[in-house]
């Protein structure tokens, strides 16, 4: 791997994806700081160069510096990757905005999380725009696509999409992240890329649930394909290009999240299908299941836009209204016949 010109880059979030991204960026030749709130995890990163709670087999680049001090993490960063749970981003971003205002510099802001904010229904780029003042807010880029941290950790070939309204900013992310096993494509469709990355988590809960119930490959293919149609319908209602959902941040991410046991959303659904309660699953998962709060947000967003999303609605009813899974499946199959392509 060729060594690139070194930049100071900060990764906010010391979970599985944050740890792997930090490792990729460090091995690309950049000076990387990773921020997390768990002092024990950060100490492990600094001393053992591991984060075994999330990734047992990952040995992180020894140049990575871990910190629990947010000011130290972002004060001199040329770029800040946000890799924290969606519902926590606003609070952290507001603190980042205050620090950057003190320091007076404008780093690139890269969203590498996937979800919608409960209540506001905002995408992450919208949260960052609101929370970080314009004078210290560099270009915002969304990085999304099929990328299980476990696979990236072993340098499995991975392709992602970088989306921004600024072509130069997208090209910058390509330059920073790409290497011999990570390939980055670009897209101007920020709305589509963000919605695809968020909604696929909801569909993945459904994919896990039908597996847990014992349904086979035909059912899984039907769920994924019709789920993709729902993603594209909602995206189109908010100005996204429907073709975006056939790309890496839509179909690609949907495939990997709905078919892999590495997916915490799939695992959550699988355990629901096997009869466990949602609360017990969330209490014992050990990681945030982004699809659960996103299901609420998608329900609210689709209702607001009057977009028909029967699969996402069925998953919402299972999660929030305690509707039995089989009742939801029976209701989906009993719907009136309609054309396949319908926007």
């Amino acid at each position: 791997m060729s060594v690139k010109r070194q930049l100071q880059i900060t990764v906010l979030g010391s979970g599985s994806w944050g740890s792997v991204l930090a490792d990729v960026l460090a091995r690309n030749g950049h000076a990387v700081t990773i921020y997390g709130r768990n002092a024990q995890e950060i100490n492990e990163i600094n001393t053992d160069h591991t984060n075994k709670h999330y990734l047992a087999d990952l040995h992180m680049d020894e140049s990575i510096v871990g910190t629990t001090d947010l000011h130290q993490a972002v004060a001199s960063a040329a770029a800040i990757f946000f890799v924290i749970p969606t519902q926590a981003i606003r609070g952290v971003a507001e603190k980042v905005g205050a620090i950057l205002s003190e320091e007076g510099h404008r780093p690139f802001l890269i969203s590498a999380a996937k979800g919608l904010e409960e209540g506001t229904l905002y995408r992450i780029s919208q949260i960052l725009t609101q929370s970080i003042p314009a004078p210290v807010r560099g270009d915002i880029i969304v990085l999304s696509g099929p990328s299980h941290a476990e696979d990236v950790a072993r340098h499995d070939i991975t392709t992602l999409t970088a989306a921004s309204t600024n072509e130069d900013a997208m090209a910058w992310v390509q330059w920073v992240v790409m290497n011999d096993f990570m390939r980055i494509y670009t897209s101007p469709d920020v709305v589509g890329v963000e919605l695809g990355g968020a909604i696929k988590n909801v569909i993945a809960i459904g994919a896990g649930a039908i597996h847990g119930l014992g349904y086979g490959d035909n059912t899984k293919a039907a769920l994924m394909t019709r789920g993709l149609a729902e993603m594209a319908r909602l995206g189109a209602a908010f100005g996204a290009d429907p073709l975006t959902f056939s790309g890496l941040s839509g179909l690609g991410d949907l495939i990997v999240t709905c078919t892999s046991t590495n997916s915490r959303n799939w695992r959550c659904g699988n355990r629901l299908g096997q009869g466990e309660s949602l609360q017990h699953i969330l209490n014992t998962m050990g990681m945030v299941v982004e699809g659960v709060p996103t299901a609420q947000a998608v329900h609210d967003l689709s209702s607001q836009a009057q977009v028909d999303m029967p699969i996402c609605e069925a998953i919402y009813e299972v999660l929030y209204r305690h509707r039995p899974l089989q009742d939801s499946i029976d209701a989906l199959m009993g719907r009136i016949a309609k054309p396949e392509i319908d926007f």
Side-chain angles (χ1 to χ4, degrees):
M1 183 185 301
S2 60
V3 176
K4 300 181 179 181
R5 179 170 60 90
Q6 188 178 78
L7 295 175
Q8 182 65 49
I9 297 178
T10 293
V11 175
L12 301 181
S14 58
S16 55
W17 187 220
S19 296
V20 164
L21 267 180
D23 186 62
V24 168
L25 293 164
R27 294 180 190 280
N28 281 1
H30 303 298
V32 177
T33 299
I34 185 168
Y35 164 82
R37 295 187 304 172
N38 187 315
Q40 185 175 347
E41 285 178 4
I42 293 301
N43 183 61
E44 180 187 343
I45 290 170
N46 285 330
T47 57
D48 299 332
H49 314 294
T50 59
N51 193 350
K52 291 189 179 297
H53 175 71
Y54 291 101
L55 294 163
D57 297 327
L58 175 65
H59 185 84
M60 300 173 69
D61 190 281
E62 296 185 6
S63 69
I64 296 170
V65 176
T67 183
T68 58
D69 184 332
L70 188 61
H71 192 284
Q72 176 188 346
V74 305
S76 59
I80 301 173
F81 284 72
F82 286 79
V83 202
I84 54 182
T86 303
Q87 309 313 319
I89 283 182
R90 181 177 296 275
V92 174
E94 288 173 350
K95 293 176 183 176
V96 168
I99 295 168
L100 294 178
S101 295
E102 292 175 9
E103 299 295 323
H105 75 289
R106 302 175 72 244
F108 286 103
L109 305 175
I110 301 95
S111 166
K114 300 169 184 176
L116 298 170
E117 187 176 42
E118 289 184 288
T120 68
L121 312 183
Y122 286 153
R123 294 172 282 108
I124 293 171
S125 66
Q126 293 174 301
I127 300 171
L128 297 179
T129 298
Q130 279 195 342
S131 303
I132 300 177
V136 292
R137 186 179 68 239
D139 289 301
I140 296 173
I141 307 99
V142 175
L143 188 65
S144 190
S147 51
H148 281 316
E150 295 83 355
D151 289 343
V152 177
R154 60 185 181 88
H155 295 185
D156 198 22
I157 291 174
T158 302
T159 53
L160 302 174
T161 298
S164 175
T165 56
N166 185 322
E167 188 173 338
D168 290 339
M170 292 187 286
W172 184 89
V173 169
Q174 283 182 309
W175 178 81
V176 166
V177 179
M178 278 179 63
N179 55 37
D180 54 5
F181 64 92
M182 293 279 286
R183 184 166 177 81
I184 312 299
Y185 292 86
T186 61
S187 170
D189 187 6
V190 175
V191 175
V193 168
E194 285 191 290
L195 286 179
I199 301 169
K200 61 89 185 178
N201 284 330
V202 181
I203 305 298
I205 292 175
I210 60 174
H211 183 273
L213 286 169
Y215 285 93
D217 293 340
N218 289 357
T219 311
K220 296 167 190 174
L223 179 91
M224 291 168 62
T225 306
R226 297 309 302 163
L228 182 65
E230 293 187 15
M231 291 163 60
R233 276 203 299 274
L234 186 65
F238 287 92
D241 183 346
L243 287 176
T244 296
F245 297 92
S246 297
L248 292 168
S249 61
L251 177 60
D253 214 355
L254 186 68
I255 290 171
V256 78
T257 313
C258 288
T259 61
S260 173
T261 57
N262 285 332
S263 165
R264 66 194 69 169
N265 294 285
W266 185 93
R267 294 201 304 271
C268 173
N270 185 53
R271 291 171 64 178
L272 284 170
Q274 293 175 344
E276 294 186 51
S277 72
L278 177 62
Q279 195 58 56
H280 176 68
I281 294 167
L282 297 180
N283 288 343
T284 57
M285 183 69 74
M287 302 180 186
V288 173
V289 183
E290 286 280 15
V292 174
T294 302
Q296 173 74 67
V298 169
H299 163 77
D300 294 343
L301 202 61
S302 61
S303 299
Q304 179 188 105
Q306 297 184 317
V307 173
D308 187 31
M309 300 183 73
I311 293 174
C312 287
E313 185 65 17
I315 295 165
Y316 162 78
E317 289 182 351
V318 168
L319 297 176
Y320 287 94
R321 296 182 178 172
H322 311 294
R323 186 175 188 180
L325 275 166
Q326 193 59 56
D327 285 1
S328 296
I329 293 170
D330 293 343
L332 284 170
M333 293 305 294
R335 297 174 71 242
I336 190 170
K338 59 185 294 186
E340 180 179 14
I341 307 301
D342 181 14
F343 279 96

